[in-house]
Amino acid sequence: MSLPDPRPVAPRAYDRYEVWAPNARAVTVRVDGLEQAMQRGEDGWFTLAEVTAVPGARYSFRLDEDPAWLPDPRSLRQIDGVHGESTVVDPRPLREETTWAGRDLRGQVLYELHVGTFTPGPDGRGGTFDSAIERLDDLVDLGVDAVELMPIATFPGDRGWGYEGVGLYATHETYGGPTGLARFVAAAHRRGLAVVLDVVHNHLGPAGNYLGRFGPYVTDRHETPWGEAVNLDQPASRTVRDFLLGSARQWLVDVGLDGLRLDAVHELHDDSEQHFLAELAEAVSSWEVETGRPLTLIAESDRNDPATVTPTASGGLGMDLQWADDVHHGVHAWITGEREGYYADFGSAEALAAVLTRIFWHAGTYSSFRGSVWGAPVDPAGEHYDGHSFVTFLQDHDQVGNRAAGDRIHHVLSPAQHAAACALILLGPGTPMLFQGEEWATSAPFAFFTDHDQELGALVSAGRVAEFAEMGWGDAVPDPQARSTFTASILPWAERAEDAHARMLRWYRTLIGLRRRHPALRDGDLRSARVDVLAESSVLLRRGDLAVLAHRGPGSLPRAPRAREVLASFGPVRHAPDGTVHMSDAGAAVLLLHGE
C-alpha cells in the first residue's frame, strides 16, 4: 500500500481556529461562549478565517447537530481536563533565549523521571515542573547529561503514568501546563541538560478520547494490545500521519525539546511504502537544519532489530537510539536469580556476557517467552550503528512499575550486588539510562497508579489484581486508584543523607566520573568490549585497558584477576601485592589492567 509522497510539515499557525472533521457536514466553534459556524475547505478541514485565535481564549467544537462540545484534537492546553474546553496557546513566545546549542545524546548519561513523583511538590501531593527544577542541580552533580520525561501529554485525572494520554499536543495541567514546561526546559538548558520527552503515538487512552468522532484516526485493519491501531496506512491516513508529525514538530521546534522517546514502536502498524518512523526521521533531519541543533529520536521496540537504528537511506527506520531490553533482562536475571516470564531465557553468565557485548540475546534465536524465533543480530562492526545506539538500563518505569508492587531491584539485592549490577550498565558500551532515585537506592517503589473516574477506575483496579493473581501475586498489588499508591511512589529526597543511601549515591557519582575521565569506558565500539566469565557468579567486562569486575556472591570470588590498580570498589575488595584482586563476598571494582 502506498501513500502520497511525504511532504515537509509546515509550521503550525497558532492564531486561527481550524479542525479536521472529514465526516462532518457542519462544524460550530464556541469561543468564549460565542458560537460561530466554520467554513468547510478541502480535505475535510474547517476554519474560522475571520476570527483571530488570541492566547487565553477558551473554545470547543460541535459536530453537526450533536449536542456535545468537544475539545480540540490539537489543543495545547486543557485547563479543566480532557473533557473540558481547550485554551488557545502559542508556545513560541514562552521559550526563553539561552545559549543552548543542543547535544548529541548518543553515549551520554540519560535520566528518566516522572514529573508527578520526582519530587513531593509544593504541597506534598505531587510534583510539578517548577518543583522538578529545584532538583536539576542534583542531577548535574550526579553527572547526568539529559533528562527524559515520562509522558506529559494531557491524560485523565491528576495522576498517572501518562501512557493513557488523549491530547498529543497538550501539556498536562497538573504539572504546570505549557508555561511550566517552558520554564523547565529553559532551566535544564541553562544547566547543560538536554530534555527528551516520552511520546505515545501507538494508541490513545480510553477516557477523553474524542478523535474518532472527528475523523478516521484509528483503523480496525490492525490490532494492538489497546484495541484498534492508529491509522497510518488506510484511507485518510495522510492527515493522521501529519497529525503525529505536527505533534512531534511542536515539541521539538516550537517548545524546544531535544528529543523524543517513542513508546512501543512495534505497535505502529504501517504497511505503507515508507514506514511512519522513517518519515518522522526524515522530517526531524530537516528540523535539525531549521533549528541549528541536534535532535534525537529514541525508539522503544520489542523487535530486537538493528534496522530500527539504521538510516533510512540504507533501508532502516532512521532512529538514533533504541531501548535494549535484553541488556536489562540479562543483568537483572543474572544478579537476582529471577527466571519468571521473559527472564526465562536469561540468568546465565553466558547470556550476561552476550548482552553486554552484542546487545541482543534473542538475535534470530528461539525465545521461549514468545514461543518463536526472535530478533536479528547486531553487527559489532556495524557501519551505521554502534553500542551507543542502544539505551541500556538497570531500572526503568516499565521494569519497576510493571511488577506487582512496583518494587525496585535494589529492594531485593544487597548494596554490593546493586553496585555490581549498575557498574555493568554505566561502564558498558551502550548509552546508559538511570531511573529516578536508583542512584541512591531509594526506599520508594514506583507502582502503577491512575486517577480515572469511578466506573473506569474500578475496572482498572480489578484488572490489575486479576493480572497478577494468575502469577500468585494478587495480594501484593496496591490499588492503582488509591492516592496512597501514588504518594508512596514519590521520591523521599531527604534519605539521600542517610549512610547507606549516601554511599550508593557516591558510587554512582564515582562511576559516572570514571566514565567521563576515561575514553575506554565511554567507547561505543562493540568490538572493544569483551567479557571474561570467571564463574557463573563473576564476570570481568573488559573496556580497553580498564575492566569492570562484578561478583554477585555469595562467598569469595572464585578466580582472582590481576590488575595494576583498583580505581574504585564497592564491597569487600582487596588488591594483593602480587596484583591479584580478591573479594570475600559480592561486590564490584573498576580495574586498570596490566595490559595484554
Side-chain angles (χ1 to χ4, degrees), residues 176-188:
T179 56
L181 175 60
R183 288 191 295 270
F184 179 86
V185 173

Side-chain angles (χ1 to χ4, degrees), residues 377-393:
V378 168
D379 181 359
E383 178 184 358
H384 302 299
Y385 56 82
D386 61 8
H388 287 167
S389 302
F390 301 93
V391 178
T392 57
F393 43 87

